[in-house]
Amino acid sequence: MLDFSGCGDRDKSEVKPVDLAHYYLQKILLSSVYDVAKVTPLSHMGKLSARLGQEIYLKREDMQPVHSFKLRGAYNRISQLTQPECERGVVCASAGNHAQGVALSASSRGIDAVIVMPTTTPDIKIDAVRRRGGNVLLHGESFDQANAHAQHLAQTEGRVYIAPFDDEAVIAGQGTVAQEMLQQQRDLELVFVPVGGGGLVAGIAAYYKAVRPSVKIIGVEPEDAACLKAAMAAGEPVTLSQVGLFADGVAVKRIGAEPFRIAKHYVDEVVTVSSDEICAAVKDIFEDTRAIAEPAGALSLAGLKKYLAQTTPALAEAGKPARKVAAILSGANVNFHSLRYVSERCELGEQKEAVLAVKVPEVPGSFLKFCELLGKRAMTEFNYRFSGRDSAVVFAGIRLSGGQSELKEIIASLTSGGFEVQDLSSDETAKLHVRYMVGGHPTEPLSERLFSFEFPEYPGALLKFLTTLGSRWNISLFHYRNHGAAFGRVLAGFEVPEGDNEAFGRFLTELGFVWQEETHSPAYRLFLGSK
């Protein structure tokens, strides 16, 4: 039997590591979150489990009323306010899920809540907070400025400041996630938790280590916002100079002091993942659940996949059975327009696509030879613009089924075929910017005609196009990007002397693809045509 006597009365600095978990266990068991929060499912991910050979579960915190776990901690903190504190009201700073959690929690108890948000906050997030009953005050251009103003209001107006993560009651409220998970699946071996300020991972780690210490707790952070990893290395919280904003829900420069005090004892490992790996996890969640996670919400699953990829082969070789592992889908308040980026990058994150720069001789037939060397592999992208008579550099995306080993084969094949190849799959500038900037005006006048085509999306469609074209007309521009539809859209330019127009028309008919001439397009004239 656990003995909690006196735990709540001690100075926190005197609590020993073995007692710290019990101290928080008591607080978690006494948390009152279910007045507004709900018990969320721990869903089995059938497709991903079959693919990875492990039993994978997903804790669906996206199904909370505010679509995030943040409601738990916010309500637990607000529920403990005294009557005089309730009358003075509360204040917090947030541009995301904490704001909605505080707004709903406060309104459910009839408490006035001021939510300070940066002036740069999108309208969709402001409207969501107002719908939950929060009074939005826009201040500053960053979270730090908004947060400073929120604390100023707490001091000058007497409001109670509701911290997003560095607070005992908030940590305990988040820890109820672990309480549910243990009841839902008692034999989990690994639990992967997203880390921003650390409130969630601290609460989950403390609960598990008090009740079932054999369960490994693994924190997951973005590579460009790894404040817990930095703190673990330094032995104390440190402030990162800057953080990436793709997973904005965990874009925190400094781990909370109290969360770190817990995490340093009870978090077993920290895994970091790239934006591409997060995008791949968003896709995995959608394919198994049809839920659309925000990037921070899919973070822990990305870490789970990376960890299993590194550890499963050795366990399988040793004959170890499949493990039962879980990740937290921490939120689904996704900006819809960011899904375009997620869709573009998820294939790279799963190593199902490679991006190459290939130097080809500027002679008719070069593209055909390039495609013949690729064989029946599907092209996901093809960017090219004529820039001189000697050689050209093609920006090409290629779909992979065999990961890095297949990519090495492709590069070797192209190199032996006389092409210079550079792998850009890990080049962030190439993936984020250059792929959309390939083009420009040709360096000399061209007798160029421009056409848009609809390509049927099947392996070999591009090869058929180039085979039908042959080597009679030089391709002077080519852009193609697969978007997952039944037909891909291609923009292509050709050097067609005026006397060849009739023969070129026969080529278009023989090709059999839907096409339209775009030579007189204003955009083409302004940005791509001969000057």
Side-chain angles (χ1 to χ4, degrees):
M1 179 178 294
L2 298 173
D3 180 12
F4 301 120
S5 60
C7 270
D9 300 323
R10 293 193 200 173
D11 184 313
K12 289 188 297 182
S13 63
E14 296 177 1
V15 178
K16 297 178 181 178
V18 69
D19 293 331
L20 187 58
H22 298 159
Y23 174 79
Y24 271 97
L25 174 62
Q26 183 183 40
K27 287 182 171 292
I28 291 167
L29 293 175
L30 296 175
S31 292
S32 55
V33 302
Y34 297 107
D35 293 345
V36 292
K38 59 185 284 188
V39 175
T40 56
L42 184 67
S43 304
H44 183 256
M45 299 188 72
K47 292 180 180 178
L48 189 60
S49 296
R51 197 171 94 211
L52 300 184
Q54 306 288 298
E55 293 303 312
I56 300 170
Y57 296 85
L58 193 66
K59 183 61 171 166
R60 296 291 305 277
E61 284 299 286
D62 61 304
M63 298 178 72
Q64 291 292 355
V66 298
H67 308 295
S68 162
F69 76 95
K70 286 285 190 177
L71 179 62
R72 297 176 184 263
Y75 186 81
N76 192 47
R77 176 68 181 91
I78 289 173
S79 70
Q80 297 178 20
L81 297 178
T82 64
Q83 185 58 36
E85 287 175 329
C86 291
E87 293 171 359
R88 294 201 304 267
V90 299
V91 63
C92 78
S94 171
N97 296 331
H98 181 57
Q100 293 190 53
V102 171
L104 179 58
S105 299
S107 65
S108 72
R109 297 178 64 87
I111 300 171
D112 183 68
V114 172
I115 315 295
V116 184
M117 310 181 82
T119 56
T120 53
T121 305
D123 288 342
I124 188 171
K125 293 187 177 183
I126 296 172
D127 294 341
V129 172
R130 285 175 173 156
R131 285 197 306 271
R132 305 293 183 193
N135 299 308
V136 175
L137 175 61
L138 299 178
H139 183 90
E141 296 182 353
S142 68
F143 169 76
D144 289 339
Q145 292 174 339
N147 192 45
H149 190 64
Q151 292 178 336
H152 172 73
L153 292 177
Q155 293 173 356
T156 58
E157 298 183 5
R159 292 179 178 273
V160 179
Y161 176 75
I162 307 299
F165 46 79
D166 203 355
D167 181 281
E168 286 191 22
V170 171
I171 293 169
Q174 321 300 30
T176 58
V177 173
Q179 183 181 0
E180 293 173 16
M181 292 176 69
L182 187 62
Q183 294 168 349
Q184 292 164 329
Q185 189 67 50
R186 293 186 177 275
D187 53 354
L188 291 174
E189 298 176 51
L190 305 168
V191 175
F192 293 80
V193 188
V195 180
L200 180 62
V201 75
I204 288 177
Y207 183 88
Y208 265 109
K209 294 307 181 182
V211 179
R212 198 173 180 85
S214 62
V215 177
K216 289 187 70 173
I217 305 300
I218 301 173
V220 185
E221 298 183 290
E223 292 174 345
D224 54 6
C227 62
L228 176 56
K229 182 178 179 181
M232 290 289 202
E236 61 182 3
V238 295
T239 303
L240 303 178
S241 58
Q242 60 183 26
V243 293
L245 297 178
F246 172 59
D248 58 350
V250 291
V252 177
K253 290 183 177 181
R254 185 182 180 90
I255 196 80
E258 183 65 6
F260 178 69
R261 193 171 75 94
I262 300 167
K264 69 181 179 181
H265 296 301
Y266 304 133
V267 173
D268 296 284
E269 293 185 46
V270 179
V271 174
T272 61
V273 295
S274 67
S275 295
D276 290 351
E277 289 167 331
I278 294 172
C279 291
V282 172
K283 180 185 176 186
D284 289 322
I285 290 171
F286 176 77
E287 291 187 340
D288 249 302
T289 69
R290 289 300 182 262
I292 301 177
E294 62 185 275
L299 176 64
S300 63
L301 185 67
L304 179 152
K305 290 172 56 186
K306 188 170 187 174
Y307 183 92
L308 292 185
Q310 295 169 348
T311 61
T312 300
L315 292 175
E317 211 172 285
K320 299 286 185 181
R323 292 168 290 182
K324 290 186 177 180
V325 301
I328 317 294
L329 198 180
S330 58
N333 289 305
V334 63
N335 181 341
F336 181 80
H337 298 292
S338 69
L339 295 178
R340 180 187 300 129
Y341 176 90
V342 171
S343 176
E344 287 280 352
R345 302 292 287 263
C346 62
E347 298 291 292
L348 287 161
E350 290 191 323
Q351 296 187 353
K352 291 183 177 178
E353 182 188 22
V355 176
L356 304 177
V358 184
K359 191 173 184 180
V360 294
E362 190 60 86
V363 295
S366 290
F367 287 170
L368 175 58
K369 181 182 178 182
F370 171 75
C371 289
E372 287 174 340
L373 289 171
L374 291 178
K376 291 290 185 179
R377 293 184 179 92
M379 298 284 292
T380 61
E381 184 166 6
F382 199 92
N383 289 306
Y384 157 73
R385 183 55 167 135
F386 174 89
S387 59
R389 291 295 176 186
D390 296 329
S391 62
V393 178
V394 169
F395 189 102
I398 302 168
R399 193 173 302 283
L400 304 175
S401 57
Q404 288 297 305
S405 59
E406 182 183 7
L407 177 58
K408 290 178 181 178
E409 291 177 10
I410 292 171
I411 293 175
S413 176
L414 291 173
T415 301
S416 63
F419 296 98
E420 294 181 27
V421 184
Q422 187 167 350
D423 181 14
L424 300 179
S425 304
S426 299
D427 188 316
E428 192 66 20
T429 301
K431 294 183 292 183
L432 194 59
H433 298 292
V434 173
R435 75 190 314 169
Y436 305 108
M437 298 173 67
V438 174
H441 297 284
T443 55
E444 59 185 81
L446 297 177
S447 55
E448 185 176 60
R449 293 177 65 184
L450 189 72
F451 294 82
S452 60
F453 296 90
E454 289 186 3
F455 270 39
E457 289 289 7
Y458 61 78
L462 179 59
L463 187 59
K464 176 188 175 183
F465 173 86
L466 293 171
T467 303
T468 305
L469 176 67
S471 57
R472 181 168 181 181
W473 296 286
N474 185 47
I475 297 174
S476 51
L477 178 152
F478 202 93
H479 176 260
Y480 160 73
R481 176 64 182 163
N482 177 291
H483 287 287
F487 288 86
R489 298 194 177 275
V490 172
L491 186 68
F494 307 87
E495 286 192 85
V496 184
E498 195 165 323
D500 285 2
N501 285 335
E502 186 176 337
F504 192 80
R506 289 195 296 270
F507 152 69
L508 293 173
T509 301
E510 182 183 353
L511 181 63
F513 292 168
V514 176
W515 60 270
Q516 180 173 327
E517 186 158 8
E518 309 285 359
T519 306
H520 301 292
S521 160
Y524 165 68
R525 294 292 187 188
L526 285 169
F527 295 105
L528 299 170
S530 298
K531 289 187 175 181

